[in-house]
Structure formats: C-alpha cells, structure tokens
Amino acid sequence: MSTELIKVKTDEQVGIITLNRPQVLNALNLQLIDELVNELERMDQDKNIRVIVLTGNSKAFAAGADINEMAEESAISIMQKDQFAVWDRMSLISKPIIGAISGFTLGGGCELMMNCDMVIASETTLIGQPEVKLGVMPGAGGTQRLVRAVGLRKAMEMLLTGDPITADQALAYGLVNKVVPVEAYYNEAIKLAKQIAKQPPLAVQLIKKAAHKAEDLTLTEGMQYERNCFYLLLASEDRKEGMQAFIEKRKAHFQGK
C-alpha cells in the first residue's frame, strides 16, 4: 500500500500515523486523506494493534484543506468526486484514536482532530474553522461535530468569525483532553495510548461504540444499546480473565477474545 504522504510505525500495541506534508503545513489533499483512511482501516483489522495515535509535527497538525487543489473545482466536480465519503469511513474505526496535535489545527485539520476519540495538545496549538473567510463553510463535519463538542454558542463564534482558539481555550471548551509543553505532546499521547492498550480490547471497542451512540440516540435507546454491549462482553474470555484476576489479586492478561 502506497503511503507517500503519511508515515506509519508501531510502538508495542500502538499504531502511529504521522501526516507528512510539512512543506505545506500538512494541508489535506485527496491523496493524503485516502492514504490516511486506508491505513486506519488496516490498523483496525490488525490484531497486534489496540490503539491508534494520529499526529503531525510541532508546527502543524494540519493547517486545513489543500486550497490549491480545490481552487479550480466546481460544485458539480466536487459533488461527483464525493470527496467527503472517505471521511465518513473514519467514524467506522472501532479502535480508539488519540490525536497528538500541535501548531496549526485549522479547517480540515480541526475536523480531523474531532474524528479522534481523545486529544493531547501542545501549548502552541491553534484550533479553528476559518472556512468562512474563504467564502465557504466546513464540509467534513465541522459544523456538526463542533456544536456537539463545545455547544452552539461557542461553535457559532468559531464558525462565523473564523478565528482560532488557543490550546487552553480548547481545553476549557472540552475540545481536547490535556495541554502540555510542545516537547511533551507526542510522548504524552503515546503514554495514554499504551495505558489504554493494556485494557481488554473488546471492552475498549464496545465502550467506544456505545459512547459515540450517545450523540445519536435518545437516552432510552442509548441505555438499551449499552446494556446489549454489556451482555455481549459477559461472554468474552477477557471478562472471565479480568474477574478471575481480580479474585486472585493478580494482573490480568487480556487477549481480545
């Protein structure tokens, strides 16, 4: 599989994907997104990987869509390409995705960040949806996920002014989990990923699915979905191992079965 615009590696049970267009601040073109989603899907099927970390570099996680690629497109050509369909596949990834972000996280970069389940940000991070300043609007979930993440009032301010917010503001709004010095953001994300990778994989994946359902279902429907996931986990070998290890006062060894 070609990965010209991303770098891929593993660290124990953590898969790491690095956006790699530093000369254009990791601007998101069609090729990069295709490579990224294909790799996410591959890691999702790899039994040796339990958690995925998505990152860029200290200067930019991703500064937005590649405007040079879009400038000459028409409404019809964009619609025919259906370029956002590949973004929809990200929501089907069952394993946790941790974003390790720094610097410019704008437009499509912000939308990509919001596809992550948890986010560690450097103190130099700037997050925003500046599409309005170009006469357009977000198209990969910016209006929908941002409202769900920070509420209507804050989202409207960010969307209609196009102005970015700082890492500390993003932390206060609930957009990121933690803000650390720029030299520590990547290692902090890997540390969190390794902590989660030690948990039983089936439980982790079903918890992710149930938590995301909370945005789409009524409380009653969500409670029933959660309950069904709970019942399913009772049949797993990891559940037996976890409870037996608790009784025997030893460390559990989870295998994802």
Side-chain angles (χ1 to χ4, degrees):
M1 183 184 300
S2 174
T3 54
E4 296 177 3
L5 302 183
I6 62 173
K7 292 181 179 180
V8 177
K9 67 177 182 178
T10 58
D11 185 350
E12 297 177 8
Q13 294 172 310
V14 177
I16 304 164
I17 303 174
T18 303
L19 307 183
N20 189 36
R21 296 188 76 203
Q23 71 279 9
V24 289
L25 300 175
N26 289 332
L28 304 174
N29 63 5
L30 298 180
Q31 180 184 345
L32 187 153
I33 293 297
D34 279 340
E35 290 183 14
L36 170 60
V37 174
N38 286 335
E39 185 58 33
L40 285 170
E41 291 174 337
R42 187 197 68 79
M43 287 185 174
D44 208 31
Q45 296 301 313
D46 188 337
K47 294 182 179 179
N48 295 314
I49 292 175
R50 296 187 177 184
V51 182
I52 301 168
V53 170
L54 177 58
T55 191
N57 57 58
S58 61
K59 190 173 182 179
F61 174 60
D66 191 329
I67 302 303
N68 290 325
E69 186 178 66
M70 295 179 60
E72 300 303 318
E73 295 281 4
S74 69
I76 298 302
S77 66
I78 289 285
M79 183 179 69
Q80 288 175 334
K81 286 180 180 179
D82 196 14
Q83 68 183 56
F84 296 120
V86 66
W87 285 76
D88 295 337
R89 288 157 50 196
M90 289 189 218
S91 64
L92 302 178
I93 302 301
S94 63
K95 295 174 182 176
I97 303 173
I98 298 175
I101 69 171
S102 184
F104 299 112
T105 305
L106 305 173
C110 181
E111 290 168 312
L112 186 57
M113 176 204 73
M114 290 191 290
N115 272 278
C116 298
D117 300 294
M118 289 160 281
V119 180
I120 304 297
S122 86
E123 58 194 4
T124 64
T125 302
L126 289 174
I127 297 172
Q129 298 281 173
E131 288 88 346
V132 68
K133 295 183 178 181
L134 300 177
V136 290
M137 62 179 285
T143 62
Q144 302 305 299
R145 287 193 171 90
L146 195 59
V147 169
R148 286 167 168 78
V150 306
L152 180 62
R153 301 294 186 273
K154 292 295 184 184
M156 288 295 283
E157 181 180 352
M158 292 177 65
L159 291 163
L160 296 183
T161 67
D163 294 336
I165 61 172
T166 66
D168 286 336
Q169 287 174 308
L171 180 63
Y173 296 170
L175 262 180
V176 304
N177 295 79
K178 193 172 186 178
V179 176
V180 297
V182 66
E183 62 270 16
Y185 78 98
Y186 175 80
N187 289 336
E188 193 70 24
I190 297 298
K191 178 182 175 182
L192 176 60
K194 288 183 177 180
Q195 179 184 354
I196 295 169
K198 294 177 182 177
Q199 307 288 16
L202 294 177
V204 167
Q205 291 175 33
L206 287 181
I207 287 169
K208 171 175 174 171
K209 289 182 179 180
H212 280 282
K213 288 290 185 182
E215 294 183 338
D216 303 318
L217 301 177
T218 66
L219 178 58
T220 300
E221 293 168 335
M223 291 292 289
Q224 189 58 57
Y225 185 88
E226 176 188 88
R227 206 155 293 153
N228 290 337
C229 291
F230 173 80
Y231 296 149
L232 182 60
L233 287 172
L234 291 177
S236 71
E237 293 298 320
D238 280 349
R239 189 275 299 184
K240 297 175 185 176
E241 165 65 11
M243 292 188 175
Q244 193 61 37
F246 179 83
I247 292 170
E248 297 174 1
K249 295 181 173 57
R250 61 174 174 82
K251 185 177 179 179
H253 180 62
F254 299 117
Q255 301 184 62
K257 299 180 180 178

